[in-house]
Each structure stands twice: as structure tokens, then as C-alpha cells.
Amino acid sequence: MKFPSEWTQKEFLQNKKVLEAEGIKVLLIDTILSPIEKTDTVVYNPYELNKEPRGSVFVFYCDSGKSTLNRLEEYKKRFPLYNCISLKGGRGYWRINMSVFDE
């Protein structure tokens, strides 16, 4: 799978389901110390993130998605063994009750 620079919440939820079924870990990374309700997030900690399995997907979020998109190249350099993506719209556009179903 080729990874874009950004995923919407819907793309995140759909791709997470598909990738985890293939054995690829997908993590939602909190860069602002503000977890999103009703979903699993991991606080940005480079030391701990480097312990994740190679090939994992890191989806970084901030309040609006702009800061993480601007820093995406920095994240890619810091985590060359992982796939780094920014969450489009960030925490502000996250819909707590959104879910995806198999078609």
C-alpha cells in the first residue's frame, strides 16, 4: 500500500481495519497531549515509538492537522522504518461516534 501525506478520519478507520487484518500496526499519535475521546491514542514519545514493529503506521494529530502536516518530513526522517501520516483536520474534525462497517 502506498501511503499519502494525510488521512481523513474515515480513511484512518478504514485503513486501520484493513492493515491490522494484515498484521500491520496502526497507531494514532497525540502530539498535543490532548487524547481523543473513545479511541486509542499514544502520546508522542520517539524513544517508545521506535520500539514498535517495523513497518507500523504512525498517524500524527494536532488540533487542526496543519502542524503535523508541516512537520511530516521531520517525522519521516526521525522514523525511517515506519510509515508516517498526518490526520487531516486533526482533533478538531474528529467525530467521536463515527465508525466504519464492512461492505
Side-chain angles (χ1 to χ4, degrees), residues 53-85:
R54 289 181 180 188
S56 295
V57 178
F58 296 162
V59 181
F60 298 92
Y61 76 88
C62 60
D63 283 322
S64 67
K66 291 178 185 177
S67 294
T68 52
L69 183 59
N70 289 339
R71 282 186 259 154
L72 194 57
E73 290 307 313
E74 175 187 330
Y75 295 139
K76 288 179 179 182
K77 287 178 187 173
R78 180 166 279 184
F79 304 108
L81 303 175
Y82 305 93
N83 299 294
C84 298
I85 301 171

Side-chain angles (χ1 to χ4, degrees), residues 17-99:
K17 187 180 277 192
V18 170
L19 291 169
E20 289 188 343
E22 295 173 5
I24 299 171
K25 196 168 183 180
V26 179
L27 299 169
L28 188 58
I29 312 295
D30 176 0
T31 65
I32 54 173
L33 299 176
S34 184
I36 296 174
E37 294 179 42
K38 297 185 181 181
T39 192
D40 293 327
T41 61
V42 176
V43 173
Y44 178 70
N45 179 336
Y47 178 77
E48 292 298 322
L49 290 174
N50 276 310
K51 294 180 180 179
E52 295 297 334
R54 289 181 180 188
S56 295
V57 178
F58 296 162
V59 181
F60 298 92
Y61 76 88
C62 60
D63 283 322
S64 67
K66 291 178 185 177
S67 294
T68 52
L69 183 59
N70 289 339
R71 282 186 259 154
L72 194 57
E73 290 307 313
E74 175 187 330
Y75 295 139
K76 288 179 179 182
K77 287 178 187 173
R78 180 166 279 184
F79 304 108
L81 303 175
Y82 305 93
N83 299 294
C84 298
I85 301 171
S86 175
L87 182 67
K88 188 171 187 160
R91 188 176 192 281
Y93 281 91
W94 189 270
R95 301 298 168 244
I96 295 171
N97 296 318
M98 179 184 271
S99 57

Side-chain angles (χ1 to χ4, degrees), residues 1 4 6-19 26 85-88 98 100:
M1 173 181 238
E6 290 182 299
W7 275 350
T8 62
Q9 179 184 359
K10 182 179 178 184
E11 290 169 326
F12 168 76
L13 295 171
Q14 289 172 331
N15 292 326
K16 179 178 171 82
K17 187 180 277 192
V18 170
L19 291 169
V26 179
I85 301 171
S86 175
L87 182 67
K88 188 171 187 160
M98 179 184 271
V100 294

